[in-house]
Amino acid sequence: MTAPDSELTIDPEALRLRAEKALRTARDRTHTLTTCVDEHDLTAQHSPLMSPLVWDLAHIGNQEEQWLLRAVGGGDALRPEIDSIYDAFAHPRAERPTLPLLAPAEARGYVHEVRGRVLDILERIELRGAPLVDAGFAFGMIAQHEQQHDETMLITHQLRRGPAALTAPPPPAPEDGAALPDEVLIPGGPFTMGTSSEPWALDNERPAHHRLVPAFHIDTAPVTNGAYERFIADGGYTEPRWWSADGWAYIQEHGIAAPLFWRREGGQWLRRRFGVTEPVPPEEPVVHVSWYEADAYARWAGRRLPAEEEWEKAARHDPESRRSRRYPWGDDDPTPEHANLGQRHLRPAAAGSYPRGASPLGVRQLIGDVWEWTSSDFLPYPGFRAFPYREYSEVFFGPAHKVLRGGSFAVAEVACRGTFRNWDLPVRRQIFSGFRTARDAS
C-alpha cells in the first residue's frame, strides 16, 4: 500500500485564481437559474420539499457573508438581521415562504455587494496560516456551497409547472456502449478510502484511511430506464418480496408505481423533464428513484446495491499502482470529455458514455450523470473531526440517511470528486438519483 493519499501541491497564485474562477463560475450559474423565470416563479414555492428560489439566492449570499466577509475577512456584518431568516436549520423548507424574505431585486443587490467585497478579500489575503484559509479552503467551501444550492434550485426547476425555462444540448452518445460487458470484477484487497490532502475536501470525506474490501462485481454503467421498465413490467411495484418493510409501506401509502415524473400513456412511458414531456429514453440511466426503489430493483435482479467502500474502490483504486486516484480517470480535474457535469446537458448521458472517464478496470460514469445510491448509512470515518461547523455533516450521521456517490449532471466540477459524499433520506425522489448494482464475487 502507498501512504494514505498523495499530496497535492498548488502554487499560491494559481490557488487564488482557482478560487476566483470557482466563485465566478458558481455565480454565473446562479444568475442563469434565477433570471430565466419571472418574479412570481422566484417567490413561489413549487413544492413543500423545496424553498422558493429567492430564498436560495439570498441564503447563498448570507453564507458567503458570514464565512468570507466576517470569519475570514474580519469585517462587520452587512445584514445581521437576516441571519436567522436564512438559517437552514432554523426554518424547514415548507415554512420558508412565510418568512420576511428579501424581494428578488433586493436579494440580487445583496449577493452582488457581498461578492464584490469577497473578491477584494481574496485579492489581498494570505491563503495560509489558519485552517479556514489554508489552501483557500473557505473560498472553496463557499463555491461548493453555492453550486450545491444551484443543484437544489435546478431540482426546483424540475418540480416547477409551466413551460420550459432552461434549455441545453443533448449529451454525446457513446460509440461502444452496446459492446461493453454488463459488469466488472473489482479484485479484493486493501485500498485508501477518503482523503487527508485534497485541499477543498469537506469534513465527512476525511481522513484518508485503509479499508479491506473483498472481491465483488459491479455494473459497468448505471441501471437504465429500459432495465427499470422491465422491473415495472414484471410486477416490481406489486410484489412485496422485493421490498424492505419500510419501503413497501412507503410505496403503498403514497401510491408509487414508477419513478417520479413518469406516467403511462398510449402504451408507453412518458416523463416530464424541465417543462417538456417526452418518451422515456431506454438507454439513459434511470433517475428520480428513491433508495427504497433502488434496493427493490437490485433484489429483483438478484443483486444488491454496492456498499459505499465498494463504490469508492471501484471509482478510485488503481490496481497497477495500488494508489487511490482523485477521480476514476486520474488526478486531473474533470473536463467535458470525462463526465456529464455542471448542468451542461440537463439529462443523463446514455449508459456507457464517456470512455475517457472510465476507471482503471473499465467502470464508466462513476462521476456525473446520476447520483448513485449505496447500501451504506451515512457515518463518520475513523478519526472524523467536524470542521468548520457540526451542522454540515455531523448532525446527519446515523441510520436515517443513506449515502449517494458520484454526482449527477446537475453537479458542478468543484463539488464532485472521487471522495465526495452525499446523503439523503431513503424516501427522496426529487433529487437526481439513480443507482448501479453489485454482487459478491464468490
Side-chain angles (χ1 to χ4, degrees):
M1 290 289 294
T2 59
D5 234 349
S6 58
E7 288 297 326
L8 298 172
T9 57
I10 303 177
D11 174 80
E13 286 311 305
L15 185 59
R16 202 180 306 277
L17 290 173
R18 179 187 179 200
E20 181 179 352
K21 180 182 178 182
L23 290 169
R24 291 189 187 277
T25 300
R27 187 53 46 86
D28 287 346
R29 186 179 177 194
T30 301
H31 179 78
T32 296
L33 289 163
T34 55
T35 57
C36 64
V37 291
D38 61 22
E39 187 162 319
H40 169 75
D41 275 339
L42 284 176
T43 57
Q45 187 172 48
H46 299 283
S47 165
L49 295 171
M50 311 304 291
S51 310
L53 291 168
V54 75
W55 185 93
D56 285 288
L57 175 61
H59 170 78
I60 286 168
N62 185 250
Q63 287 292 291
E64 189 167 334
E65 180 192 344
Q66 291 192 49
W67 286 104
L68 298 185
L69 292 192
R70 302 183 203 172
V72 171
D76 295 332
L78 287 180
R79 300 290 298 267
E81 76 280 4
I82 68 172
D83 287 356
S84 62
I85 296 173
Y86 296 100
D87 184 337
F89 284 87
H91 305 286
R93 289 174 174 175
E95 71 175 39
R96 289 172 189 171
T98 67
L99 301 172
L101 304 179
L102 300 184
E106 191 176 8
R108 290 190 180 105
Y110 170 59
V111 299
H112 180 74
E113 182 178 4
V114 170
R115 175 53 57 84
R117 298 188 183 206
V118 162
L119 292 178
D120 289 341
I121 291 170
L122 178 59
E123 187 176 335
R124 60 178 167 78
I125 197 167
E126 286 281 332
L127 298 179
R128 60 184 180 180
L132 202 57
V133 295
D134 282 346
F137 174 81
F139 296 92
M141 177 184 75
I142 289 299
Q144 290 177 82
H145 174 266
E146 180 162 355
Q147 289 281 13
Q148 287 169 324
H149 275 272
D150 288 342
E151 181 181 7
T152 299
M153 288 194 283
L154 190 63
I155 293 169
T156 302
H157 275 277
Q158 169 63 15
L159 289 162
R160 166 186 164 271
R161 293 285 182 173
L166 296 165
T167 60
E175 296 180 359
D176 61 346
L180 294 174
D182 291 338
E183 63 180 6
V184 172
L185 172 65
I186 309 298
F191 89 107
T192 300
M193 185 172 185
T195 180
S196 296
S197 63
E198 182 73 30
W200 294 353
L202 303 173
D203 60 4
N204 63 65
E205 301 171 65
R206 302 172 183 268
H209 59 287
H210 292 164
R211 291 282 183 103
L212 182 63
V213 179
F216 66 98
H217 292 86
I218 192 166
D219 291 339
T220 303
V223 171
T224 64
N225 290 320
Y228 201 86
E229 284 185 32
R230 292 191 288 275
F231 166 65
I232 298 174
D234 197 40
Y237 282 88
T238 62
E239 286 282 354
R241 59 181 167 150
W242 306 129
W243 298 80
S244 66
D246 289 345
W248 181 249
Y250 187 79
I251 67 161
Q252 293 294 297
E253 179 184 354
H254 295 274
I256 294 170
L260 188 61
F261 307 116
W262 284 31
R263 75 170 191 267
R264 189 79 173 167
E265 187 176 297
Q268 68 174 336
W269 285 105
L270 304 177
R271 71 177 181 187
R272 179 167 59 84
R273 183 180 61 84
F274 299 109
V276 175
T277 298
E278 60 190 12
V280 171
E283 72 282 357
E284 283 186 14
V286 66
V287 65
H288 297 301
V289 290
S290 68
W291 184 90
Y292 290 140
E293 290 168 292
D295 178 62
Y297 174 96
R299 295 173 191 236
W300 169 82
R303 298 170 69 84
R304 58 178 174 79
L305 295 178
E308 182 182 14
E309 59 267 26
E310 290 177 325
W311 188 98
E312 186 169 328
K313 184 172 185 181
R316 299 185 63 213
H317 183 64
D318 181 354
E320 185 174 333
S321 66
R322 295 169 51 184
R323 63 176 291 269
S324 289
R325 301 171 166 192
R326 295 177 70 208
Y327 299 97
W329 55 85
D331 293 338
D332 293 338
D333 289 337
T335 70
E337 288 71 43
H338 288 125
N340 182 8
L341 294 167
Q343 198 180 310
R344 282 191 297 270
H345 300 300
L346 289 176
R347 65 195 302 164
S353 295
Y354 299 101
R356 289 186 59 186
S359 74
L361 292 173
V363 187
R364 296 198 184 181
Q365 292 169 283
L366 286 158
I367 298 292
D369 288 303
V370 291
W371 284 108
E372 298 184 17
W373 289 109
T374 72
S375 64
S376 300
D377 297 336
F378 184 48
L379 299 172
Y381 290 160
F384 167 84
R385 302 175 78 177
F387 178 79
Y389 59 108
R390 291 184 61 248
E391 289 77 12
Y392 181 72
S393 301
E394 188 173 356
V395 297
F396 296 102
F397 289 147
H401 294 88
K402 295 294 185 181
V403 173
L404 302 103
R405 287 303 205 104
S408 72
F409 65 87
V411 173
E413 290 87 344
V414 73
C416 188
R417 49 196 162 264
T419 57
F420 193 94
R421 306 172 77 197
N422 190 8
W423 65 94
D424 216 327
L425 299 171
V427 301
R428 288 288 184 254
R429 307 198 316 148
Q430 82 274 18
I431 61 177
F432 300 112
S433 52
F435 62 100
R436 73 180 75 213
T437 66
R439 67 180 176 93
D440 296 345
S442 58

